Amino acid sequence: MSVITPYFRSSDRAFTLLQGDCFELLPKFNFHFDMIFADPPYFLSNDGISVQAGKIVSVNKGEWDRGGTPEQINDFNKKWIGLCRDKLKDNGTIWISGTYHNIFSVANSLTELGFKILNVVTWAKTNPPPNISCRYFTYSTEFIIWARKTAKRPHRFNYELMKHLNDDKQMTDVWRLPAIAPWEKSCGKHPTQKPLALLTRIILASTEKDSWILDPFAGSSTTGIAANLVGRRYLGIEKEIEFAEMSRNRRLEIDNNKTYGDYRSKIKDIARSEAYEPTGIACNEEPIEDLPF
């Protein structure tokens, strides 16, 4: 295996960031993760317009988000999902976000590669941008596919905790959560940044303390910040140097105990989960494996 030098690693080794292309980096190390979250390109950069903070803006995110042919998009998704599958524990699960532009291709790729789709969570945004064309319904949702690696191997689902977070009612596959808040943009804003509340719920639902989480399209590392806020470990891979630096700065922010506490207090699921001790879920008592670099 090639020698890998992290772009950034936190002092407690719970947050590691690699700068580069996940297609090139994933084959270079052997390690298996408990959970993967991926926010791949949606291929939305088609020179259209949208609204942000009351202003008309371009929807173009960058060359990495420009779409190709349906065949090219399918090949892209099947390749990166296949690489991630090799890095997932046999009882591990993967969460992948998208819109109608890419999510059907993602679902087909998962099925073809042997995953079992568990849910398609609908994230219903409580504060979506308006539809300025007035020619169709306002886009207010994104989808997150949750799948396990194999059909027969049981996966972790903290059902009782999710029920507790939902006022002791079964949590459905429709989550009403806001988009990112101003305090989440203190180090700058990634164009497809996800809210910490969303990633926190995903992580609490499907992992235990000290679990390892991989994000192959890290962006500004919302996955890593959420993971560290709830006692999980993280490896992110980000191609764009600008966003890798943003990730680094965001992680350094929560080294400050006050900032760390403030962030945790603003995410409702964290406070509720801390007051609840799930039953029937054993913590992993085995030594915590570390990354091979």
Side-chain angles (χ1 to χ4, degrees):
M1 292 291 175
S2 304
V3 175
I4 296 176
T5 302
Y7 178 83
F8 170 75
R9 173 174 278 150
S10 61
S11 58
D12 60 2
R13 299 182 67 87
F15 184 109
T16 301
L17 184 67
L18 306 181
Q19 194 271 313
D21 191 325
C22 67
F23 289 96
E24 297 173 2
L25 289 171
L26 284 172
K28 291 184 176 180
F29 63 91
N30 289 320
F31 192 81
H32 293 96
F33 295 83
D34 300 282
M35 192 203 97
I36 297 171
F37 175 82
D39 187 18
Y42 292 6
F43 303 112
L44 286 171
S45 295
N46 57 5
D47 300 321
I49 57 175
S50 182
V51 173
Q52 285 185 5
K55 298 179 181 179
I56 296 177
V57 297
S58 170
V59 301
N60 292 347
K61 313 288 192 302
E63 288 303 313
W64 50 269
D65 191 54
R66 286 200 174 272
T69 65
E71 293 76 17
Q72 289 171 328
I73 291 172
N74 288 337
D75 288 345
F76 173 85
N77 284 325
K78 194 167 183 180
K79 184 177 180 182
W80 76 258
I81 293 172
L83 289 171
C84 283
R85 193 175 196 280
D86 292 339
K87 296 293 179 282
L88 195 61
K89 290 181 179 178
D90 288 343
N91 65 343
T93 57
I94 186 169
W95 300 75
I96 307 173
S97 63
T99 59
Y100 75 86
H101 304 83
N102 73 327
I103 206 69
F104 301 110
S105 171
V106 165
N108 287 336
S109 295
L110 286 167
T111 301
E112 289 174 10
L113 289 166
F115 286 87
K116 176 180 173 58
I117 294 177
L118 302 167
N119 283 111
V120 180
V121 171
T122 299
W123 169 28
K125 302 176 185 179
T126 58
N127 55 344
N131 167 17
I132 58 177
S133 74
C134 302
R135 296 176 181 173
Y136 37 75
F137 299 108
T138 299
Y139 295 122
S140 63
T141 61
E142 291 189 34
F143 308 104
I144 307 113
I145 296 178
W146 183 33
R148 72 186 188 197
K149 185 175 181 178
T150 61
K152 295 182 179 179
R153 186 69 184 264
H155 62 282
R156 170 170 285 275
F157 176 41
N158 297 327
Y159 166 82
E160 293 292 346
L161 174 57
M162 292 299 103
K163 184 178 177 181
H164 175 75
L165 297 183
N166 196 45
D167 297 324
D168 292 321
K169 300 175 184 177
Q170 285 189 334
M171 187 174 287
T172 73
D173 59 2
V174 178
W175 296 355
R176 291 175 175 83
L177 296 169
I180 56 173
W183 59 270
E184 299 183 65
K185 310 172 194 176
S186 57
C187 296
K189 181 179 178 295
H190 187 280
T192 63
Q193 186 171 333
K194 296 295 181 287
L196 281 165
L198 178 68
L199 268 299
T200 299
R201 181 170 294 180
I202 286 171
I203 291 166
L204 289 174
S206 55
T207 65
E208 62 183 337
K209 295 280 188 180
D210 293 322
S211 293
W212 273 104
I213 298 167
L214 168 68
D215 188 335
F217 304 100
S220 61
S221 288
T222 296
T223 306
I225 302 301
N228 285 182
L229 287 174
V230 293
R232 276 67 167 174
R233 295 165 182 265
Y234 165 79
L235 173 66
I237 302 175
E238 174 51 43
K239 186 175 181 180
E240 304 293 329
I241 190 75
E242 172 190 357
F243 301 138
E245 187 62 14
M246 193 181 299
S247 294
R248 174 183 175 276
N249 291 336
R250 291 187 77 192
R251 179 55 182 80
L252 289 173
E253 263 195 337
I254 63 170
D255 277 340
N256 181 292
N257 288 335
K258 184 179 185 305
T259 303
Y260 175 83
D262 286 346
Y263 278 23
R264 283 173 53 86
S265 69
K266 291 176 180 178
I267 302 170
K268 292 181 180 179
D269 283 356
I270 292 181
R272 289 187 174 186
S273 68
E274 289 297 305
Y276 176 77
E277 183 66 30
T279 58
I281 299 175
C283 291
N284 185 2
E285 296 180 355
E286 297 177 1
I288 301 167
E289 189 179 5
D290 202 0
L291 292 167
F293 46 82

